[in-house]
Amino acid sequence: MTTEGEMTRAPAGSAKRALVGRMSWGLADQAASSVSNFAVGLYVARSLGVTAFGVFSLAWVTYGVVLNVSRGLATDPLTVRFSGPPGPAWRGAVGRSTGTALAVGAVLGVVSLAAGLGLGGRVGPAFAALGVMLPGLLLQDAWRYSFFAAGTGRKAFLNDVVWGVALIPAMVVAARVGTVAAFVLAWGASATVAAGYGCVQSGIRPRMAEARGWLREQRDLGYRYLVENVSLSGASQLRAYGVGAIVGVSAVGAVRGAELLMGPFLAVLMGLSLVTVPEAARVLRQAPHRLARFCLLLGGGQAVGSLLWGAALLLLPGRLGEMALGDVWHSASPLIVAISLGVAGAGLGTGAAAGLRALGAARRSLRCQLFASVCYVGGGLGGAAAAGAVGSAWGVAAATVSGSAVWWLQLRSAVREHAQEPIREVRTS
């Protein structure tokens, strides 16, 4: 097993090549993952109309909340404390971590299923279908994070390729049914196939029986990351529900349509997010004085990329937009500028967030996320009340820029504290 000292003595050129390689696999993996999500979203938008797309979007943001519960409790502590070569300690941690993700999916899946059956109408079937599929969806995501924590992004990429291949026949069946619930089931069933393949790839069986032990071991980070993650995705969910109540479900579809237009760039951003915390943890181990610079380059690059992508969308001919989104294009296109600025603000903040995670500064990152989430909900709903979907998009853009400033202020303070009294929150062997 490579020791910390050996990694520190590695030539700078080989270290940079290794970093580029790991980030490249992160981008490739997210590209594979986004294809499946993007394909389902486009089909619903084109074939079932803006209202049905709004229903799909409500189920989607609910899944995002549950996913972030799983990440906060299961995989975020794993990437902070067990990023390194896949030795015995990593294997044991992955078994407990993936078991925790599976347990979260089972418990919250029952809740979603019961809620869907109780709601009925247009929305209920989509939530019931989501509940059935949550265990497989969360386990598949846990394998991705486990592989990136070990620096084996190629396995995560292959796992998402399996998901995409399995999605093709599932989509064919769902297309014959022609409902939102059918596509949720198709999407989740194909993810479950990939989750099973993850067990084969790793040779590790998720240990649900040890989920309680994992939660106890990681409680100093896990519960803070849980609140932090849920405040992020919960804010998105509250905004979607609020916009639907204030303006209408079609406005939810318009916002989601604009976010789909940002899809290729968001895939890049999310792909980098898979490796940013493990990489920041490696920088902290090997060259702590370079952490702030690493985070600045990371966040600044994402912000600039978002603005460039938004500018390209503004030049997109209307007929191409209609080909992609159908009738949703006319509602989504006025939101492009605001959505682009919002994503740029979020991208800048993720650089600082990665640094705080690597430092194990859970209290600071929680404080930042709670502030950002309050701004997000307030801006999104206040803007919706003032100017509908367009106002909501501008309110969120202002909120993300404000939140990013707080993230960076907290990172600066955390780096100074670490320099005075180093805190080791990551594994060194």
Side-chain angles (χ1 to χ4, degrees):
M1 180 180 296
T2 303
T3 65
E4 181 180 358
E6 289 170 345
M7 288 188 293
T8 303
R9 292 191 298 269
S14 64
K16 289 181 179 179
R17 286 194 296 271
L19 171 61
V20 171
R22 289 190 295 267
M23 287 196 167
S24 297
W25 280 118
L27 294 175
D29 170 74
Q30 189 57 46
S33 175
S34 296
V35 165
S36 58
N37 298 337
F38 195 62
V40 174
L42 284 185
Y43 185 87
V44 176
R46 284 177 52 83
S47 302
L48 302 182
V50 67
T51 300
F53 190 58
V55 173
F56 178 82
S57 299
L58 292 177
W60 182 272
V61 296
T62 302
Y63 159 70
V65 174
V66 176
L67 182 64
N68 279 298
V69 171
S70 175
R71 288 176 178 175
L73 294 176
T75 53
D76 282 345
L78 178 76
T79 58
V80 170
R81 288 192 164 133
F82 294 90
S83 289
W90 176 86
R91 293 180 64 84
V94 168
R96 299 192 300 277
S97 174
T98 54
T100 301
L102 194 57
V104 170
V107 172
L108 296 185
V110 170
V111 175
S112 181
L113 175 61
L117 295 176
L119 285 171
R122 288 182 172 180
V123 177
F127 277 81
L130 178 63
V132 173
M133 294 292 105
L134 276 177
L137 284 163
L138 298 190
L139 180 58
Q140 193 275 339
D141 184 76
W143 286 127
R144 296 172 68 206
Y145 275 76
S146 298
F147 292 141
F148 277 110
T152 55
R154 179 178 60 87
K155 291 185 177 181
F157 170 74
L158 290 175
N159 192 277
D160 273 319
V161 168
V162 169
W163 184 358
V165 171
L167 184 63
I168 295 173
M171 287 276 284
V172 171
V173 175
R176 294 179 180 177
V177 179
T179 65
V180 174
F183 281 93
V184 173
L185 289 171
W187 167 57
S190 54
T192 302
V193 172
Y197 178 58
C199 298
V200 176
Q201 286 178 291
S202 64
I204 299 172
R205 180 175 58 84
R207 298 197 288 269
M208 288 182 63
E210 297 185 25
R212 182 175 298 179
W214 174 261
L215 295 175
R216 185 171 56 252
E217 293 169 12
Q218 310 300 328
R219 62 182 177 273
D220 59 324
L221 294 182
Y223 291 117
R224 289 193 176 99
Y225 288 156
L226 167 65
V227 177
E228 181 181 329
N229 289 356
V230 171
S231 69
L232 171 63
S233 54
S236 178
Q237 187 178 28
L238 287 174
R239 180 212 180 186
Y241 290 167
V243 169
I246 295 170
V247 188
V249 176
S250 60
V252 180
V255 172
R256 177 60 184 158
E259 292 172 348
L260 271 179
L261 292 173
M262 294 294 295
F265 178 76
L266 288 174
V268 173
L269 192 152
M270 293 173 67
L272 289 175
S273 73
L274 291 169
V275 296
T276 51
V277 175
E279 292 306 324
R282 290 184 177 94
V283 171
L284 181 63
R285 279 202 303 271
Q286 299 170 24
H289 61 284
R290 296 180 181 173
L291 179 64
R293 181 185 177 189
F294 172 82
C295 294
L296 181 60
L297 291 173
L298 178 67
Q302 291 178 110
V304 171
S306 173
L307 295 176
L308 291 175
W309 183 260
L313 288 177
L314 292 175
L315 301 176
L316 185 71
R319 64 180 183 278
L320 293 181
E322 292 177 0
M323 288 176 59
L325 294 179
D327 293 338
V328 177
W329 164 256
H330 301 289
S331 301
S333 56
L335 311 183
I336 290 174
V337 174
I339 293 289
S340 300
L341 290 173
V343 174
L348 184 61
T350 57
L356 287 174
R357 287 287 176 93
L359 288 164
R363 290 183 180 179
R364 290 187 179 277
S365 61
L366 174 59
R367 195 178 305 150
C368 293
Q369 190 56 66
L370 290 175
F371 174 83
S373 297
V374 170
C375 290
Y376 183 93
V377 174
L381 297 187
V390 174
S392 181
W394 278 107
V396 165
T400 56
V401 172
S402 300
S404 177
V406 174
W407 279 106
W408 279 100
L409 289 172
Q410 289 294 322
L411 177 63
R412 184 177 64 176
S413 298
V415 168
R416 287 176 178 173
E417 287 181 0
H418 185 270
Q420 296 171 359
E421 185 179 355
I423 302 173
R424 303 196 65 81
E425 288 282 6
V426 294
R427 187 169 62 118
T428 59
S429 60

